[in-house]
Amino acid sequence: MLADPLASSTRSPRPFQTVACGSGSENPGDGCHEEREDALAAYANALAWYISGTQSYASKAISYMNAWARNIKDHTASNAPLQTGWSGASWARAAEIIRYSNAGWSSSDITAFENMLRNVYLPKIIGGSNANGNWELVMMEAAQGISVFLNDASSYDKAMNKFFGRAPAYVYLTSDGSCPKAAPSSGLTSCSQVQSYWDQDTFPENGIAQETCRDFRHTGYGIASMSHIAETSKIQGSDLWTTDVGTRIRYALGFHSKFELGAPVPSWLCVNHRGSVDLGNGKRDFEITEVGYNALNGRLGISMTNTGTLTEQNRPARGNTLFVGWETLTHASNSAF
């Protein structure tokens, strides 16, 4: 992790007052990459501080959080909710580490950061989204993390209620019936509408995801957020890994891992794409397995052969420069709690 440019001691914050992100983080693309990267840089330095005890890492993490807390006022353009979710998820992780590790973050600066999360981030994400499922999942991941940092039980409950509606509408289990479930606010009321939304006609196997036939990169985003939410929930006293949520994550990881490892694509999968799937940039585009694999295989002892093989091949997992980072470091063989 320390070799990552985001962890560099010479890197400086690049805050914006208004982050304007359209499709693809363009149109106009003001501050999109800067915000996401600064949030991940804060997280990298927070981890480095926590592990090493070297004060310079804590100070660097604090500098990122303070710079943005003093500047940002809004997120605009069509991708604003997604951008806020991506960045908010990383900010919350970094802030939680720094706040509770005697890192030297002043009370006034903590208050300013709380105000930023409460007034700029949370309102943009807490209502959810009817876009592709990875949007609402990362928005709820960020809302959950922010709510924990703010000790805001009401917002936490709102985020979790949204998540419990979206998770079964993102990963299919055969026990759901012949058609996947629809998210409560999606407006999808028939099986044919759900099939069209998923771009998939039949559902004979556990673990198919709403975005499988789009590409595995975006599918990985959704599974990553589900895993992060389950892990945070366990820390907060509710073990979702032993529930329907954990089952869906397990099958989603296994289903997609086997194709990343080279298994032939069955004729029934993604028939509108001529029986092919978009693996993205290969295995490295699916570096999101560590959290789920550690929880389900490492702590619960569930066999996950394909997921385990892919996880090992991808180590050390780097992340995606959006909201996932360094999860081999944080979760590989981690039996904590």
Side-chain angles (χ1 to χ4, degrees):
M1 181 188 73
L2 294 180
D4 193 303
L6 294 177
S8 171
S9 62
T10 60
R11 193 179 181 281
S12 298
R14 300 168 295 171
F16 281 65
Q17 286 196 341
T18 300
V19 176
C21 307
S23 179
S25 297
E26 304 296 337
N27 303 314
D30 296 337
C32 309
H33 299 284
E34 291 87 348
E35 181 187 30
R36 296 195 304 264
E37 291 171 4
D38 279 4
L40 280 168
Y43 179 51
N45 279 279
L47 287 173
W49 147 251
Y50 188 81
I51 293 167
S52 72
T54 302
Q55 182 61 44
S56 61
Y57 292 126
S59 299
K60 178 62 75 171
I62 291 168
S63 74
Y64 286 111
M65 294 188 288
N66 287 351
W68 280 86
R70 293 169 185 153
N71 282 277
I72 189 163
K73 304 298 181 186
D74 199 9
H75 295 87
T76 64
S78 60
N79 271 27
L82 180 62
Q83 172 74 19
T84 308
W86 282 338
S87 301
S90 299
W91 286 133
R93 288 194 291 267
E96 194 77 9
I97 293 170
I98 293 296
R99 184 179 199 170
Y100 295 107
S101 60
N102 296 314
W105 200 12
S106 73
S107 59
S108 60
D109 286 340
I110 292 172
T111 297
F113 196 78
E114 286 179 326
N115 289 337
M116 178 192 81
L117 294 179
R118 183 181 294 108
N119 299 323
V120 179
Y121 285 78
L122 195 55
K124 198 72 73 173
I125 56 180
I126 195 66
S129 169
N130 285 322
N132 275 305
N134 79 84
W135 278 50
E136 186 163 80
L137 288 168
V138 79
M139 290 163 67
M140 293 310 105
E141 176 189 343
Q144 180 197 43
I146 288 170
S147 298
V148 170
F149 187 74
L150 296 177
N151 294 307
D152 183 345
S154 176
S155 293
Y156 186 94
D157 289 344
K158 288 179 183 177
M160 293 308 297
N161 285 337
K162 279 284 185 183
F163 172 70
F164 288 134
R166 175 61 66 176
Y170 196 72
V171 175
Y172 172 77
L173 298 178
T174 55
S175 58
D176 295 335
S178 60
C179 220
K181 297 183 178 183
S185 60
S186 67
L188 304 175
T189 59
S190 69
C191 184
S192 61
Q193 288 177 320
V194 173
Q195 289 171 326
S196 177
Y197 185 55
W198 286 53
D199 205 9
Q200 174 66 29
D201 295 334
T202 59
F203 300 90
E205 192 170 332
N206 290 319
I208 308 166
Q210 181 251 305
E211 296 185 89
T212 297
C213 293
R214 180 186 186 187
D215 58 59
F216 280 27
R217 179 164 57 94
H218 288 89
T219 301
Y221 298 167
I223 299 170
S225 288
M226 290 178 66
S227 300
H228 295 163
I229 290 170
E231 195 76 331
T232 298
S233 295
K234 189 174 193 307
I235 295 169
Q236 295 302 308
S238 178
D239 189 356
L240 299 185
W241 293 111
T242 60
T243 71
D244 174 85
V245 170
T247 302
R248 290 180 192 276
I249 294 171
R250 172 164 63 98
Y251 280 113
L253 288 172
F255 181 82
H256 294 86
S257 292
K258 68 183 177 182
F259 298 118
E260 290 285 359
L261 292 169
V265 178
S267 59
W268 54 262
L269 182 61
C270 304
V271 293
N272 295 330
H273 297 266
R274 299 178 183 176
S276 66
V277 293
D278 183 350
L279 300 178
N281 295 318
K283 298 172 189 174
R284 283 295 188 180
D285 233 4
F286 208 70
E287 294 182 5
I288 50 82
T289 61
E290 288 281 13
V291 177
Y293 183 65
N294 181 63
L296 294 162
N297 174 263
R299 295 201 299 257
L300 295 178
I302 298 170
S303 178
M304 300 174 70
T305 302
N306 288 324
T307 304
T309 300
L310 182 64
T311 301
E312 293 281 355
Q313 290 184 6
N314 275 343
R315 286 179 175 167
R318 300 168 300 178
N320 61 16
T321 72
L322 299 174
F323 70 103
V324 177
W326 312 291
E327 291 182 343
T328 299
L329 173 67
T330 58
H331 284 81
S333 301
N334 186 346
S335 60
F337 62 85

